[in-house]
């Protein structure tokens, strides 16, 4: 009985792979060649995996949930933060724990009107625990300390900001999970005060040392003066330029008005992360 063409091709391919393996084992290869070869092998593996799925009459599920997947852990920690009650930043008291937090604006300043009294934070961040911390007490008061630093910075900018206009959420988490959660929060909300948004950053600066006095003044300190160590620094952008960039950002960004909108966006992000073959680089949390 004649062998089917497909089986003949498969045997030829297997033979070629064995010949390639022997050639690699017998002769030394340079690091450049090794890199190119590994790339080619990876592409061939992907092609064979795709072919295997096409041949198999039983299809793969659309999604696969792995609770140990770091990206998903980040999703759930971030989601747990949003589920916390908001509290006045000015009334914050000391508490144990490291983790993630979000700060919200509730005032009447025109600059921040698009996000005022919404579920879109003006800033999100993380507080890393003490080294090798296993318990909340061992983590220290890192989360409360970080929020208190921001409270003090806002308080010093009293000519343009009122600490009574700010609320926060905070969530202490098991050591090691705060970074992934912070990344998800930044991608989802694109907070205007975060460095990653590249517009009105600088609230997180702790002051310049004597060796770095020539640093430019941050956009945050330009619009919200009050921290004495930043007074003498040169402005990188004018206040009008920064305000224009802020207005453009709010016009283009997704503003989450309600917690329901936030939860829906998180659910959509988790569904995308669960999809088999999903590329982590393509994962973007959005309301769409």
């Amino acid at each position: 009985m004649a062998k089917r063409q497909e089986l003949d091709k498969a045997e030829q391919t297997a033979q070629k792979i064995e010949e390639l393996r022997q050639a690699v084992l017998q002769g030394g290869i340079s690091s450049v060649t090794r890199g190119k070869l590994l790339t080619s092998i990876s592409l061939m593996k992907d092609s064979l995996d795709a072919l295997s799925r096409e041949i198999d009459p039983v299809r793969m599920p659309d999604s696969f949930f792995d609770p140990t997947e770091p990206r998903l852990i980040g999703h759930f920690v971030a989601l747990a933060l949003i589920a916390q009650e908001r509290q006045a930043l000015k009334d914050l008291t000391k508490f144990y724990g490291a983790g993630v937090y979000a700060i919200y604006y509730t005032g009447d300043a025109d600059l921040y009107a698009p996000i005022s009294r919404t579920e879109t934070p003006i800033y999100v961040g993380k507080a890393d625990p003490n080294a090798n911390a296993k318990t909340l007490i061992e983590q220290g008061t890192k989360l409360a300390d970080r929020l208190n630093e921001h409270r003090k910075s806002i308080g010093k900018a009293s000519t343009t900001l009122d600490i009574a206009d700010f609320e926060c959420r905070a969530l202490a988490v098991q050591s090691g999970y705060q970074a992934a959660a912070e990344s998800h929060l930044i991608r989802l909300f694109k907070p205007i005060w975060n460095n990653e948004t590249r517009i009105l950053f600088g609230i997180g600066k702790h002051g310049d040392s004597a060796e770095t006095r020539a640093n430019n003044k941050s956009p945050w300190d330009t619009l919200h003066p009050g921290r004495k160590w930043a007074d003498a620094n040169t402005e990188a952008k004018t206040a009008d330029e920064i305000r224009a960039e802020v207005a453009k950002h709010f016009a283009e960004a997704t503003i989450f008005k309600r917690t329901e909108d936030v939860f829906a966006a998180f659910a959509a992000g988790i569904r995308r992360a669960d999809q088999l073959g999903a590329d982590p680089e393509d994962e973007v949390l959005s309301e769409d």
Side-chain angles (χ1 to χ4, degrees):
M1 182 177 179
K3 186 181 296 183
R4 289 184 60 90
Q5 181 180 3
E6 296 89 341
L7 296 177
D8 190 43
K9 290 288 186 182
E11 288 184 2
Q12 292 176 20
T13 300
Q15 182 179 349
K16 291 294 184 182
I17 291 175
E18 178 59 24
E19 291 175 1
L20 174 61
R21 189 178 76 86
Q22 292 297 331
V24 171
L25 293 176
Q26 292 173 7
I29 57 175
S30 67
S31 58
V32 174
T33 300
R34 183 181 295 107
K36 292 180 179 179
L37 186 58
L38 288 172
T39 299
S40 296
I41 291 173
S42 178
L43 292 173
M44 286 189 286
K45 181 177 180 297
D46 290 342
S47 296
L48 289 172
D49 286 342
L51 177 60
S52 177
R53 289 194 296 271
E54 290 175 6
I55 295 172
D56 193 338
V58 181
R59 73 176 184 87
M60 297 290 284
D62 295 329
S63 300
F64 174 69
F65 179 73
D66 179 1
T68 65
E69 165 60 45
R71 287 182 297 144
L72 284 176
I73 293 174
H75 273 293
F76 289 122
V77 173
L79 185 59
L81 170 67
I82 302 304
Q84 304 304 304
E85 292 292 334
R86 285 163 62 156
Q87 59 179 308
L89 185 59
K90 66 181 179 64
D91 297 333
L92 190 71
T93 57
K94 204 86 163 176
F95 59 91
Y96 285 112
V100 289
Y101 60 90
I103 297 175
Y104 301 85
Y105 181 72
T106 63
D108 297 323
D110 291 340
L111 183 67
Y112 302 123
I115 60 170
S116 181
R117 304 179 185 90
T118 72
E119 286 299 320
T120 297
I122 198 168
Y123 186 80
V124 300
K126 66 178 176 67
D128 295 321
N130 291 323
N132 303 315
K134 296 293 190 296
T135 68
L136 282 170
I137 293 178
E138 289 176 350
Q139 284 185 346
T141 58
K142 298 292 188 176
L143 194 52
D145 293 345
R146 193 77 175 113
L147 282 165
N148 192 47
E149 289 175 5
H150 297 320
R151 181 187 63 78
K152 290 179 179 178
S153 291
I154 293 170
K156 290 176 181 178
S158 57
T159 59
T160 57
L161 298 173
D162 186 344
I163 190 60
D165 292 334
F166 291 87
E167 296 177 346
C168 65
R169 285 187 172 109
L171 179 68
V173 304
Q174 182 64 42
S175 299
Y177 294 127
Q178 67 278 356
E182 181 194 39
S183 295
H184 283 294
L185 291 165
I186 291 172
R187 281 205 299 272
L188 175 61
F189 293 115
K190 298 179 176 59
I192 194 63
W193 281 3
N194 274 81
N195 291 353
E196 293 80 2
T197 309
R198 300 180 180 277
I199 297 175
L200 191 43
F201 56 88
I203 188 176
K205 292 187 70 174
H206 297 279
D208 295 331
S209 66
E211 291 77 19
T212 58
R213 292 296 180 188
N215 281 355
N216 286 330
K217 183 179 294 186
S218 75
W220 194 90
D221 286 292
T222 296
L223 288 193
H224 304 302
R227 298 192 290 193
K228 293 188 180 301
W229 54 262
D231 287 346
N233 290 356
T234 303
E235 293 181 353
K237 292 182 180 179
T238 67
D240 287 342
E241 288 174 330
I242 298 168
R243 290 191 187 95
E245 291 182 359
V246 171
K248 182 175 184 293
H249 169 80
F250 285 144
E252 297 174 350
T254 298
I255 306 298
F256 296 90
K257 301 289 188 181
R258 308 170 304 157
T259 52
E260 292 84 356
D261 300 329
V262 179
F263 291 150
F266 270 108
I270 291 170
R271 283 195 296 272
R272 283 192 291 272
D274 281 347
Q275 289 177 350
L276 291 175
D279 186 347
E281 297 299 322
D282 293 336
E283 182 189 347
V284 178
L285 292 172
S286 70
E287 193 178 25
D288 299 331

